[in-house]
């Protein structure tokens, strides 16, 4: 099963290796037969050893939106979380590439038009794919 994605006319480049990674995860999923009827698909990538004390690989969430009339899927957002705070750290968005709203966000720098985060997005995707290849993540998928 391979989903077709709309990747043209976006302010950031969605590389084919990322699309392949997502399609592979969906194909291995227990819910693969229900995906095409879903309105959204949310993929969560978690390093189960990640903690404020010992660090690790940041949790990542990617949401896709099904545009059934166009028979295409759109990336809604790609978000990287990190523990922040002293004393009682909490998971917060560290990087957020919100394609649906055309806004990028980096903690401490705030929101800007997504195009201004294009280079950072390219670097982030490259790192994310490398971490995934190292098999550091446990992946869960939910449908909406």
């Amino acid at each position: 099963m391979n989903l077709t994605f709309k990747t043209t006319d976006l302010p950031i480049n969605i590389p084919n290796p990322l699309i392949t990674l997502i399609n592979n995860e969906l194909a291995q999923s227990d819910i693969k037969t229900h995906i095409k009827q879903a309105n959204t698909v949310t993929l969560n990538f978690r390093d189960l050893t990640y903690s404020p004390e010992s660090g690790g690989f940041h949790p990542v969430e990617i949401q896709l939106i099904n545009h059934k009339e166009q028979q295409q899927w759109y990336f809604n957002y790609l978000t990287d979380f990190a523990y922040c705070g002293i004393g009682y750290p909490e998971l917060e968005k560290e990087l957020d590439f919100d394609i649906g709203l055309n806004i990028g966000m980096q903690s401490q720098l705030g929101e800007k038009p997504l195009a201004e985060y294009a280079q950072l997005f390219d670097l982030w995707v490259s790192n994310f794919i490398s971490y995934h290849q190292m098999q550091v993540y446990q992946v869960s998928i939910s449908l909406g």
Side-chain angles (χ1 to χ4, degrees):
M1 172 190 74
N2 282 328
L3 301 182
T4 303
F5 289 92
K6 181 183 183 328
T7 58
T8 57
D9 302 323
L10 297 176
I12 56 176
N13 176 44
I14 306 290
N16 285 332
L18 179 61
I19 291 170
T20 299
L21 181 156
I22 289 171
N23 273 321
N24 288 343
E25 287 295 337
L26 295 175
Q28 296 171 30
S29 151
D30 293 339
I31 56 176
K32 62 186 167 203
T33 57
H34 304 288
I35 290 173
K36 290 197 176 182
Q37 288 77 38
N39 294 317
T40 62
V41 173
T42 305
L43 297 97
N44 288 286
F45 299 84
R46 301 284 186 257
D47 169 6
L48 299 180
T49 64
Y50 179 60
S51 71
E53 296 78 28
S54 60
F57 297 90
H58 292 182
V60 170
E61 183 170 292
I62 299 173
Q63 187 178 73
L64 312 170
I65 297 178
N66 189 355
H67 285 258
K68 295 176 186 175
E69 66 280 353
Q70 298 172 11
Q71 297 182 348
Q72 286 186 323
W73 287 81
Y74 289 52
F75 283 85
N76 191 27
Y77 62 80
L78 302 95
T79 304
D80 183 292
F81 296 88
Y83 279 108
C84 299
I86 298 172
Y88 298 100
E90 295 183 16
L91 276 177
E92 296 180 8
K93 290 181 182 181
E94 184 174 65
L95 292 172
D96 187 36
F97 305 101
D98 193 324
I99 297 169
L101 294 176
N102 196 24
I103 295 173
M105 188 280 300
Q106 184 176 13
S107 66
Q108 310 300 319
L109 297 179
E111 295 179 347
K112 296 181 182 179
L114 191 55
E116 292 186 33
Y117 283 101
Q119 286 183 316
L120 179 60
F121 180 76
D122 291 343
L123 175 63
W124 179 85
V125 167
S126 176
N127 288 339
F128 173 70
I129 291 170
S130 294
Y131 302 152
H132 186 271
Q133 290 170 343
M134 294 166 42
Q135 300 179 346
V136 301
Y137 294 119
Q138 178 178 332
V139 182
S140 63
I141 301 171
S142 58
L143 305 177

